[in-house]
């Protein structure tokens, strides 16, 4: 039984909306329905340069998208500082919402947004695409395997990309009034989400920023790191940066296993993604080699991970529409935990690297 | 012109001596000359079970090896707590010395050992084998490449191996009176050396242990970590552990490049070793893939890395013997820096994770 695809509106013409609009057209249960920008010309140009089908409605304001009764769901790629204002309106207009990360500047704002979603019965999901790559489920299976991986002991994530002078001067992610969380909100969001994902979303008990964060002249973080500590002794460290070469690593080490992935946010290639596993690894007799060798696993996918995201989101929306059921709580829950840890890291930086306790 | 091989004596029958005695036979400029144990029977059994050639002298004491005038160099695989006593004697007997790591329990002991070497004109080298793998030089070349790697920003190293209950109860590395530095002295030595190696042996200005080290019931470290900070903003983190699956990672991230190696201490296989490099990595147009993809580099070797170590050491000894020149200072220098940082981490753990300044 084929169902009507979920009709998406997009508010804003950010670069990332190019990729997500394509994903909406690739997802089997979603359709690109409308785009709105503060300027009609900009919206038209965006639609044209990204090959939008002619039937896609083009609006000269965000409100027009939200007021269109045929729009089921809205994708919000606006700068973080605008999230609370627009996301609340999206929810009030009873539109389901895919919201770019970082979701908010702080947990209080985050809660305003998700409470509005709850009050209006709309699905919330943040735009962390890698969560939806089929590879991610495969890696999670391994981490949950008591025999092959065992108890998780250590997680390290590194996310960085090199920025040109134009980015460091003009990108919204270095502007205190736009994406004020800088590299922590962008690259760091991924680091923290990956750590929580590996820890099965158990929150750490405390967080401590590493020394030496790099800030720009208006105080936005360009590079920082932190260590995270759990009650059971698990430890995590991460580094996020706009100032070094492209790196997207998760290393997770358990009592019995080791997971490595080097492209967890954006796979090296669109249609396949790999990771490497070691399990109960020992040495050859004279300690001159490893037994067994780590194994490489590749997961292929017919549609890119961002289309999987749209598909999963649209499936949830369809279920709500068909059954009148409540939105899936998993997505706002893990999103909030990410925001909570992220802001704890920021607080630790502001408090001269003191440990910050995470309320459990 | 073929020269007389350097004649090695070994004092002690530690497991690691099996691998190094084989390396001595494999190195083209070295020969296995004598082995001594506190018990003649034990020495004989060790020689027999490791296929020593019949001409190798077998002694019932360490002193006998040191007193043999035909022994040029001594390999010392004794527990760390015995190093200062025996290493000083080795030097006083004018034997060149390959000493297992960790070199000493603290920097003061370290200096006693290397001062004895200096006073007696003998070459000192610690037993950090991976330094001598041809792969290491190749990786170093990349890290030094201003175009492909640029300024070093971040180093993360993880070294762990899972231990069975017997190891955790009986191994010398968990005994406060034998290898009192535990996992920090063993796995952590490698982490710190790798970090210093990547930083071109520039010492960090400060070191701070991570929270949550695991100690056994007699206070020996089974697992710990630290962050290291340099004047220029470089940051490093490491984790070392006896309590998780075998992992031997270096991740080094520069302004323009990323290096990954997952088997830096013991290559997966004896005769070849790989690493992976990214340089000026960007994304495809829609940010759905990486351009260029990281590249894998494999370095083959005719003799194992520990034989390269013996070869390099023997070459230095031969040069001293032939020319009456001074010992090469590089090896004790980097060894001392490793010891210095290692003990600073220990001090930070003892001082409740306070930062410890490193004298420059």
């Amino acid at each position: 039984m084929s169902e009507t695809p979920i009709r998406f509106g997009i508010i804003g013409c950010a670069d990332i909306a190019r990729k997500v609009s394509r994903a909406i057209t690739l997802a089997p249960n979603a359709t690109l329905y409308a785009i709105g920008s503060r300027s009609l010309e900009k919206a038209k140009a965006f639609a044209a340069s990204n090959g939008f089908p002619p039937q896609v409605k083009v609006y000269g304001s965000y409100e027009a998208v939200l007021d269109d009764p045929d729009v089921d769901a809205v994708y919000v790629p606006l700068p973080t500082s605008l999230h609370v204002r627009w996301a609340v309106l999206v929810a009030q207009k009873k539109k389901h919402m895919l919201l770019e990360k970082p979701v908010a500047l702080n947990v209080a704002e985050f809660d305003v947004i998700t409470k509005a979603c709850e009050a209006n019965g709309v699905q919330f999901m943040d735009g962390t695409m890698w969560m939806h790559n089929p590879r991610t489920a495969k890696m999670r299976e391994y981490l949950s395997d008591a025999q092959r991986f065992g108890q998780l002991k250590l997680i390290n994530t590194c996310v960085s990309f090199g920025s040109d002078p134009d980015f460091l001067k003009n990108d919204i992610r270095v502007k205190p009034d736009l994406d004020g969380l800088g590299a922590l909100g962008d690259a760091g969001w991924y680091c923290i989400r990956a750590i929580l994902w590996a820890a099965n979303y158990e929150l750490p008990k405390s967080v401590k920023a590493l020394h030496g964060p790099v800030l720009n002249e208006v105080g936005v973080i360009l590079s920082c790191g932190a260590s995270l500590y759990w009650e059971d002794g698990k430890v995590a460290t991460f580094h996020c940066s706009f100032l070094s070469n492209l790196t997207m690593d998760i290393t997770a080490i358990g009592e019995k296993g080791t997971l490595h992935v080097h492209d967890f946010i954006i796979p090296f290639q669109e249609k396949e993604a790999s990771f490497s596993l070691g399990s109960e690894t020992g040495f050859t007799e004279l300690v001159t080699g490893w037994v067994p060798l780590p194994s490489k696993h590749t997961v292929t996918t017919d549609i890119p991970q961002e289309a999987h995201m749209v598909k999963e989101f649209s499936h949830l929306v369809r279920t709500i529409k068909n059954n009148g059921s409540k939105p899936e709580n998993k997505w706002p829950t893990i999103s909030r935990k990410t925001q909570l840890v992220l802001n704890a890291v920021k607080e630790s930086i502001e408090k001269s690297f003191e440990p910050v306790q995470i309320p459990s």
Side-chain angles (χ1 to χ4, degrees), chain A:
Chain A
M1 184 186 84
S2 138
E3 303 212 73
T4 325
I6 300 302
R7 289 159 302 196
F8 273 81
I10 299 177
I11 57 174
C13 299
D15 250 6
I16 186 75
R18 299 176 58 213
K19 183 170 168 173
V20 175
S21 61
R22 171 172 170 265
I24 293 167
T25 66
L26 290 173
N29 55 351
T31 190
L32 191 55
Y33 188 82
I35 173 120
S37 170
R38 283 168 299 172
S39 124
L40 185 61
E41 284 59 48
K42 207 171 152 201
K44 278 183 180 168
F46 187 85
S49 69
N50 289 288
F52 281 19
Q55 68 272 22
V56 173
K57 294 194 178 172
V58 180
Y59 290 119
S61 75
Y62 303 154
E63 289 88 344
V65 175
L66 306 190
D67 284 332
D68 187 324
D70 291 330
V71 167
D72 299 311
V74 173
Y75 169 61
V76 183
L78 300 172
T80 312
S81 60
L82 300 179
H83 281 189
V84 70
R85 172 179 166 200
W86 287 103
V88 167
L89 195 59
V90 168
Q92 287 169 344
K93 299 281 182 175
K94 310 281 185 205
K95 309 299 188 191
H96 303 277
M97 176 164 43
L98 191 56
L99 180 58
E100 261 312 325
K101 31 69 36 196
V103 168
L105 292 173
N106 53 54
V107 178
E109 278 195 359
F110 183 99
D111 288 343
V112 169
I113 292 170
T114 51
K115 276 191 174 49
C117 291
E118 236 176 89
N120 290 282
V122 300
Q123 182 66 48
F124 170 90
M125 186 186 273
D126 71 48
T128 311
M129 301 170 181
W130 71 271
M131 300 296 300
H132 305 272
N133 194 304
R135 168 175 68 176
T136 305
K138 279 283 166 208
M139 295 193 294
R140 184 60 256 173
E141 225 173 78
Y142 172 71
L143 295 181
S144 300
D145 189 324
Q147 286 312 307
R148 293 192 299 157
F149 189 76
Q151 202 194 336
L152 178 64
K153 297 285 193 175
L154 172 78
I155 316 146
N156 175 259
T157 63
C158 296
V159 174
S160 61
F161 55 89
S163 311
D164 55 25
D166 179 58
F167 178 102
L168 292 175
K169 198 169 171 198
N170 299 317
D171 195 88
I172 62 164
R173 287 166 284 187
V174 300
K175 301 283 185 188
D177 53 336
L178 295 173
D179 270 339
L181 296 168
L184 178 60
D186 187 46
W189 175 276
Y190 291 112
C191 291
I192 293 166
R193 171 63 62 84
I195 289 168
L196 290 171
W197 166 81
N200 231 344
Y201 302 113
E202 187 196 338
L203 282 170
K205 65 173 185 200
S206 69
V207 162
K208 202 164 188 288
L210 298 179
H211 293 215
V214 179
L215 311 184
N216 69 10
E217 67 284 355
V218 286
V220 174
I221 296 169
L222 301 180
S223 157
C224 71
S227 50
L228 291 72
Y229 304 99
W230 283 258
E231 208 60 66
D232 71 351
K234 267 194 301 288
V235 174
T237 46
F238 78 83
H239 297 268
C240 59
S241 176
F242 289 156
L243 305 174
S244 17
N245 189 55
L246 181 56
T247 305
M248 295 181 166
D249 287 355
I250 303 173
T251 304
I253 311 180
E255 221 175 337
K256 297 181 180 177
T258 307
L259 166 77
H260 286 119
V261 53
H262 291 309
D263 58 349
F264 80 96
I265 303 170
I266 311 279
F268 293 138
Q269 297 176 78
E270 197 174 26
K271 295 294 178 72
E272 60 171 60
S274 299
F275 56 98
S276 137
L277 304 182
S279 272
E280 302 203 72
T281 317
F283 291 120
T284 55
E285 207 260 332
L286 268 184
V287 193
T288 56
W290 296 34
V291 184
L293 294 175
S295 54
K296 185 180 171 184
H297 301 259
T298 300
V299 179
T300 58
T301 172
D302 51 342
I303 54 172
Q305 61 182 14
E306 57 275 14
H308 279 288
M309 174 179 73
V310 171
K311 185 180 167 188
E312 167 70 6
F313 175 77
S314 299
H315 166 73
L316 295 173
V317 172
R318 169 54 58 206
T319 308
I320 295 167
K321 284 173 74 90
N322 285 2
N323 310 340
S325 54
K326 280 199 163 183
E328 168 62 73
N329 201 34
K330 173 190 169 184
W331 298 105
T333 303
I334 65 180
S335 198
R336 187 178 195 274
K337 288 181 176 181
T338 311
Q339 187 84 48
L340 195 65
V341 173
L342 196 152
N343 287 91
V345 172
K346 186 145 191 282
E347 189 183 335
S348 176
I349 292 173
E350 286 159 1
K351 290 183 171 166
S352 301
F353 320 108
E354 282 303 301
V356 171
Q357 305 306 311
I358 305 276
S360 57

